[in-house]
Amino acid sequence: MKKFILLSCIVLLVLGHNGYAQEKGSVLITNGTVITITDGTKENTDVLIEEGIITEIREGIEAPDGVETIDASGKYVMPGIVDAHSHIAAEDVNEWTHPVTAEVSMEESIDPNDINMYWALAGGVTSIHLMHGSANVIGGQNETLKLRYGADMDALRFDGAPRTIKFALGENPTRVHGQNFNVQPRTRMGVEQVIRDHFEEALDYKRNRQQYLEAKEAYESGNRDNPPVPVARNARMEVLVDILEGEIWVHCHSYRADEIMMLMRVFDDYGIENYTFQHANEAYKIAPELRKNNAYTSVFSDWWAYKFEVYYSTAYNASILNENGVKNSINSDSGELIRHLNHEAAKTVHYGETSKEDALKMITINPAEQLGIDDKVGSIEEGKHGDVAIWSGHPLSIYSIAEKTFVDGKKYFDREEDPDDMRVKIDPETDYDEASRRWYEESGRHGDSCLRGAEIRFNENGMEL
Amino acid sequence: MRIQITRYTEIMMKYYKRIYTGCVLLLLIAAGAQAQITEKAEFGKFAITNATIHTVSDGVIENGVVLINGEKIEFVGKNAKITTEYQRINAEGKHLYPGFMDSGTQLGLQEIGAVEVTNDQAELGAYNPHVRAFTAINPSSASIPVTRVNGVTHVISLPVSGRLSGKATLIDLYGYSPDSMAVSPNAGLHLNWPSAQKGGSWDDRSDEKVQEEYEEDLKELNEFWEKAVFYDKMVSAYEEDPSNKEQPDADKKMEAMREVLSGDVPVVISVDRKQDILNAIEWTQKHPDVRFILAGVKEGWRVADEIAESGLPALVATLYTPERDYDNYQRPYQNPGMLHEAGVKVAIATGEVENVRNAPYHAGYAATYGLGKEEALKAITLNAAEIFGVEDKLGSIEAGKQANLFLSDGDPFEPMSQIEQVFIRGYKIPMVSRHTQLNDEYLDRGAESTN
C-alpha cells in the first residue's frame, strides 16, 4: 500500500509537471484586423481562444467568464510564424562522423534555456523545425518544437508532428567527408551513390531482419527445428527503412538545380513522396520539375554568394517558385533572421511582386504543411491551436512590431512587459563582465550554422568554414 | 600502362586543389568577362518632373523638378524651364531620394565568401596602413549591380584583418575601373580596437591573461603610432628645409600614416563592447589632430552619453542579435536611436558584402525602433557624407551636388516598395542585375520538363 501511494505520488507529480509545462491558455482578442491566411483578412474581428484552441472567429464575441480580453483595435492579428529551418535551441547540430548518421536525432539535443527562443517569440514566431546540420548526406532526425519558452525540453516538443530527417547535398557533405579524408562522397556523383547504396542496404536489412524474426518466431513456437542466424537490430537501418516507407519526411539541404533533380530521380526510384528542399537556391531553374513531383521548397529570401554553389542565385527564387505553383516557404536558418521572418517574406513582394497574401503564406501555412502540422497551426481557424501574434501594423511593413505572442493561448511574449535585463535578480544598471556570445556570432553570418559542430573537420586541416 | 594510369591519378590528386582553384578562377573570369553591366548607362540631361523630392537637406518638395546635367544636379525646385535637350521623366506619384550610402562593407573586395581566391579584404600582417581597398575593388563584381538597383549608390569598403587593416575606400557603384568609381580613394584607416574583454564561453583565458594581452596589444599599437609620429616629424622637417638634414629612409607604412596624422584621412575604429568603447575613446583623446570615427559599437547604447561627449560619430548596423543573452531583445534595433538621442551622429554600416542591398532595411529598423524616419534617412545619406567629409558631393538632393538619386514607388525603407530608377553620378543606371536577369529567364522558363 505504501508502495502504491508512493507510486501514485510520482505519477501525479510527473503528470502535474507536464500539465504545468504545457499549460494552455484562454484569451479573447477583440477588434483586430485578423489575417486568417486560409480565409482572407477580416477587419474588426474577434478571436476567441479557449484552453489553447481557437473556438470562435467573428465580430462581437462576449468573453466567457474568467477569460481575459485584449483590445487589438488598429492592430493586426496573425497566426504564429512557423520556421521550417532553424538551429536555435540546439545543444548539438552535427554528428559529422559518417556520411550517413540517420540514427541520431535532435530529439535529445534541445536546449530549453536558449534565449533565442524568446527573441524568436518577439518576432512573432511560435513553431520551429529544429534541424540536424548539413555535414552528412543523410544526417540526423529533426524535431519540431513549439516555442513554449520557459518549459522543459519535453514540453517544447510539437505533439503529433511527423518525424522528419535532414539530408544534405553538394559542398557541405563533399567538403566534410570527401576532401582530404577520402571518404565518399567527394563529388555530387558520390552523394547520389551514398544515398542509393544506403537505401539498397536498408531494403536488404529489412528483408533479412523480417525473415529472421519470422524464423525466430517459428522456432520458438516449435514450427522450425533449428534457431535462425540472428540479424541484429540496426538503428541506422531502421530509420532508413522508415524513410523508404514514408514514415519519415525528408528535408534536404540543397542548392544546385542538378543535385535537386538527382534527388527527385532517386526518390522516384524508391517511391519516396513527401520531401522538402531546404535552401534550394537554384530551385527556380527547375520549378516545373519540382511542381510535377509535388516537391516542397523552403528558401532564403535573399542570401547568396557566400559559397560557390549559391553564386548563381536570385532573390526572385521564392516568387518564381510561387508563380510556378511550387509550395514554398521562407526560412531563417539563423538566430537573427528568425527575429524578422515577416520582413524576409516582405522581400518576395519586392523581388517578384508576390502578393502579400502569398508572402504571408510562405511563413505560416506553407511551412506548416511542409512539417505536417498544417492541421494544427499556420492559420487562424476554428479548431486550430491558439498560436497567434498581435502586430502593431501590417506584418509585412518594416514599421510593424510583434507586440504580443501566444502559444496555445498562453502569452509568451509581451512587448510591454519585456524586461530590460533578463538576468535573474540582477539590477540592469549594475555592471557585468561575463560574456556569453553565441557560436554564430563568432563565426559570422557567413559561417553557415548548418556546419556547426563540424568545425574540427576544417580547423585541423587549416580549412575555413 | 597500368602504372602510368596510377601515376597520372596520383599527380591529379596532388594537384587537385590547384586545379580546382584554377577552375573556380576560370569560371569567375568567364563570369566577369560578360561584365555585370548588361546595358550601357545613359548620360546627358534629364528632367525628373512631378516627383515628391526628399531632399534630406531642405525638407520635402511636392510636385518638384530635378534637372540633371551631366554628373551634377543642376536644379531642384518647383518650377523650371525645361528645354527639349532634357530627357523628361514623369515621376508623378513617385518619390525621389538621394542615393543611399552604406558606411561599412566589403563590397567589391569579396566575391564569394567560401572561395578564398575571391577574397581580397584581409591582407597578411597586423599593421598595414599602406594597404588600400581601392586597389582591390572589382568593378565587375556581380554584387555591385545587385546592390545599386536597391537604391544603394555608395559604399565605404574596408579591409578587415589585423590591427591596422588598411585604407578603406569610398566608391560609387557605377564604373568600369576603381578610379572611375572613387569618391575618396583613401576614405579612412581601419583600426580593429584591441579588446580588453573576454570573447565568450569558449574563451578560457583568465581575466589577468585577458588584461595582459590587451595591454600588450595596446603597447604595440602605441609604439607603432609613436614611430609614425616621429617619422612624420622627420620627413616634415626635411621637406621644409632639406638643406642641412639627412633625408630619412623611405618607409611606406610610415608614409601611409602621414595623411592620417595630419587629420586628412580619418581612423575608423571597429569596437563593439562597452569597456572597449570607453578605452578607445580615451585613446582617441590622446591624438587631438587625428580624426576618428567609431564603427560597430554594438554596445554603444550602454555608453551613449560617453560617446556623445567624445564627439565621435558612429557607424552602426541594426540586424544582429543582442550581444548578451540577458539584453532586451530589441537593443540592436534601438542602438542607432539611443545613440542619436544622446547626441551622437549616426550612419548606417551593414558590414555586409553581397547583401549590402539590405542597407535600407537596416535604416528602416533604426527608424522603427526610436530613430524616426527622418533621422534614419539622414543616417543613410547626409550623415554618412558628412562623417566622411564628402557632403559637398553626396548625401542630399541639392543643386551643384553629384546626381546620385533614385525614384521609388513608396517608402524605400519598406521591403515591399519598388525602386524604379537609379542615377549615379548622372548616369541613368540600367535596372538590371544577375538577379533580375535570372528572373527574366526563369520566371516562365517554357522548356518542357522531362522529369
Side-chain angles (χ1 to χ4, degrees), chain B residues 198-212:
Chain B
K198 258 193 188 179
S201 51
W202 46 268
D203 190 344
D204 54 7
R205 294 177 299 166
S206 66
D207 289 349
E208 293 73 33
K209 183 81 183 152
V210 169
Q211 187 62 24
E212 194 183 303

mmCIF file of all heavy atoms in Angstrom, chain B residues 198-212:
data_model
loop_
_atom_site.group_PDB
_atom_site.id
_atom_site.type_symbol
_atom_site.label_atom_id
_atom_site.label_comp_id
_atom_site.label_asym_id
_atom_site.label_seq_id
_atom_site.Cartn_x
_atom_site.Cartn_y
_atom_site.Cartn_z
ATOM 1 N N LYS B 198 36.719 39.419 -22.423
ATOM 2 C CA LYS B 198 36.719 38.009 -22.825
ATOM 3 C C LYS B 198 35.792 37.814 -24.007
ATOM 4 O O LYS B 198 34.778 38.489 -24.120
ATOM 5 C CB LYS B 198 36.221 37.159 -21.653
ATOM 6 C CG LYS B 198 37.317 36.467 -20.895
ATOM 7 C CD LYS B 198 36.676 35.431 -20.005
ATOM 8 C CE LYS B 198 37.666 34.816 -19.064
ATOM 9 N NZ LYS B 198 37.049 33.830 -18.200
ATOM 10 N N GLY B 199 36.159 36.875 -24.850
ATOM 11 C CA GLY B 199 35.349 36.649 -26.038
ATOM 12 C C GLY B 199 34.000 36.031 -25.749
ATOM 13 O O GLY B 199 32.995 36.415 -26.317
ATOM 14 N N GLY B 200 33.953 35.071 -24.850
ATOM 15 C CA GLY B 200 32.686 34.381 -24.573
ATOM 16 C C GLY B 200 32.974 33.097 -23.844
ATOM 17 O O GLY B 200 34.071 32.892 -23.330
ATOM 18 N N SER B 201 31.992 32.218 -23.815
ATOM 19 C CA SER B 201 32.134 30.990 -23.032
ATOM 20 C C SER B 201 33.288 30.124 -23.550
ATOM 21 O O SER B 201 33.904 29.377 -22.804
ATOM 22 C CB SER B 201 30.822 30.203 -23.078
ATOM 23 O OG SER B 201 30.408 30.045 -24.408
ATOM 24 N N TRP B 202 33.603 30.247 -24.820
ATOM 25 C CA TRP B 202 34.697 29.467 -25.418
ATOM 26 C C TRP B 202 36.061 30.029 -25.047
ATOM 27 O O TRP B 202 37.074 29.383 -25.236
ATOM 28 C CB TRP B 202 34.563 29.460 -26.933
ATOM 29 C CG TRP B 202 34.285 30.827 -27.487
ATOM 30 C CD1 TRP B 202 33.067 31.384 -27.734
ATOM 31 C CD2 TRP B 202 35.248 31.850 -27.799
ATOM 32 N NE1 TRP B 202 33.209 32.670 -28.185
ATOM 33 C CE2 TRP B 202 34.529 32.981 -28.239
ATOM 34 C CE3 TRP B 202 36.635 31.911 -27.748
ATOM 35 C CZ2 TRP B 202 35.152 34.170 -28.616
ATOM 36 C CZ3 TRP B 202 37.264 33.102 -28.133
ATOM 37 C CH2 TRP B 202 36.520 34.209 -28.564
ATOM 38 N N ASP B 203 36.083 31.258 -24.544
ATOM 39 C CA ASP B 203 37.340 31.939 -24.236
ATOM 40 C C ASP B 203 37.788 31.530 -22.838
ATOM 41 O O ASP B 203 37.230 31.973 -21.837
ATOM 42 C CB ASP B 203 37.105 33.461 -24.310
ATOM 43 C CG ASP B 203 38.410 34.236 -24.247
ATOM 44 O OD1 ASP B 203 39.435 33.649 -23.848
ATOM 45 O OD2 ASP B 203 38.391 35.427 -24.608
ATOM 46 N N ASP B 204 38.813 30.644 -22.769
ATOM 47 C CA ASP B 204 39.180 30.114 -21.457
ATOM 48 C C ASP B 204 40.355 30.864 -20.825
ATOM 49 O O ASP B 204 40.983 30.385 -19.888
ATOM 50 C CB ASP B 204 39.486 28.612 -21.552
ATOM 51 C CG ASP B 204 40.538 28.297 -22.601
ATOM 52 O OD1 ASP B 204 41.117 29.260 -23.162
ATOM 53 O OD2 ASP B 204 40.788 27.111 -22.856
ATOM 54 N N ARG B 205 40.654 32.053 -21.304
ATOM 55 C CA ARG B 205 41.729 32.841 -20.689
ATOM 56 C C ARG B 205 41.275 33.387 -19.336
ATOM 57 O O ARG B 205 40.097 33.675 -19.143
ATOM 58 C CB ARG B 205 42.106 34.019 -21.588
ATOM 59 C CG ARG B 205 42.729 33.623 -22.925
ATOM 60 C CD ARG B 205 42.990 34.842 -23.777
ATOM 61 N NE ARG B 205 41.758 35.575 -24.082
ATOM 62 C CZ ARG B 205 41.723 36.803 -24.585
ATOM 63 N NH1 ARG B 205 42.844 37.449 -24.827
ATOM 64 N NH2 ARG B 205 40.568 37.392 -24.845
ATOM 65 N N SER B 206 42.227 33.513 -18.429
ATOM 66 C CA SER B 206 41.888 34.135 -17.140
ATOM 67 C C SER B 206 41.740 35.645 -17.358
ATOM 68 O O SER B 206 42.240 36.190 -18.343
ATOM 69 C CB SER B 206 42.997 33.857 -16.124
ATOM 70 O OG SER B 206 44.180 34.524 -16.538
ATOM 71 N N ASP B 207 41.071 36.286 -16.405
ATOM 72 C CA ASP B 207 40.895 37.736 -16.512
ATOM 73 C C ASP B 207 42.247 38.445 -16.593
ATOM 74 O O ASP B 207 42.414 39.414 -17.329
ATOM 75 C CB ASP B 207 40.109 38.260 -15.301
ATOM 76 C CG ASP B 207 38.652 37.824 -15.372
ATOM 77 O OD1 ASP B 207 38.247 37.314 -16.445
ATOM 78 O OD2 ASP B 207 37.935 37.973 -14.364
ATOM 79 N N GLU B 208 43.212 37.922 -15.820
ATOM 80 C CA GLU B 208 44.551 38.531 -15.804
ATOM 81 C C GLU B 208 45.193 38.412 -17.186
ATOM 82 O O GLU B 208 45.808 39.334 -17.684
ATOM 83 C CB GLU B 208 45.463 37.849 -14.764
ATOM 84 C CG GLU B 208 45.041 38.071 -13.314
ATOM 85 C CD GLU B 208 43.790 37.291 -12.928
ATOM 86 O OE1 GLU B 208 43.601 36.174 -13.457
ATOM 87 O OE2 GLU B 208 42.981 37.814 -12.137
ATOM 88 N N LYS B 209 45.010 37.239 -17.765
ATOM 89 C CA LYS B 209 45.596 36.974 -19.083
ATOM 90 C C LYS B 209 44.964 37.910 -20.130
ATOM 91 O O LYS B 209 45.668 38.451 -20.988
ATOM 92 C CB LYS B 209 45.343 35.499 -19.462
ATOM 93 C CG LYS B 209 45.950 35.075 -20.766
ATOM 94 C CD LYS B 209 47.438 34.743 -20.628
ATOM 95 C CE LYS B 209 48.051 34.390 -21.971
ATOM 96 N NZ LYS B 209 49.485 34.707 -22.031
ATOM 97 N N VAL B 210 43.664 38.078 -20.029
ATOM 98 C CA VAL B 210 42.951 38.959 -20.966
ATOM 99 C C VAL B 210 43.520 40.372 -20.864
ATOM 100 O O VAL B 210 43.836 41.007 -21.873
ATOM 101 C CB VAL B 210 41.423 38.966 -20.664
ATOM 102 C CG1 VAL B 210 40.727 40.059 -21.451
ATOM 103 C CG2 VAL B 210 40.811 37.607 -20.984
ATOM 104 N N GLN B 211 43.669 40.834 -19.636
ATOM 105 C CA GLN B 211 44.174 42.187 -19.397
ATOM 106 C C GLN B 211 45.613 42.323 -19.908
ATOM 107 O O GLN B 211 45.964 43.309 -20.561
ATOM 108 C CB GLN B 211 44.090 42.501 -17.893
ATOM 109 C CG GLN B 211 44.422 43.946 -17.536
ATOM 110 C CD GLN B 211 43.465 44.957 -18.157
ATOM 111 O OE1 GLN B 211 42.317 44.623 -18.480
ATOM 112 N NE2 GLN B 211 43.925 46.193 -18.346
ATOM 113 N N GLU B 212 46.396 41.294 -19.626
ATOM 114 C CA GLU B 212 47.806 41.294 -20.040
ATOM 115 C C GLU B 212 47.903 41.391 -21.569
ATOM 116 O O GLU B 212 48.683 42.180 -22.103
ATOM 117 C CB GLU B 212 48.431 39.978 -19.555
ATOM 118 C CG GLU B 212 49.938 39.902 -19.588
ATOM 119 C CD GLU B 212 50.389 38.506 -19.153
ATOM 120 O OE1 GLU B 212 50.027 38.090 -18.022
ATOM 121 O OE2 GLU B 212 51.034 37.832 -19.967
#
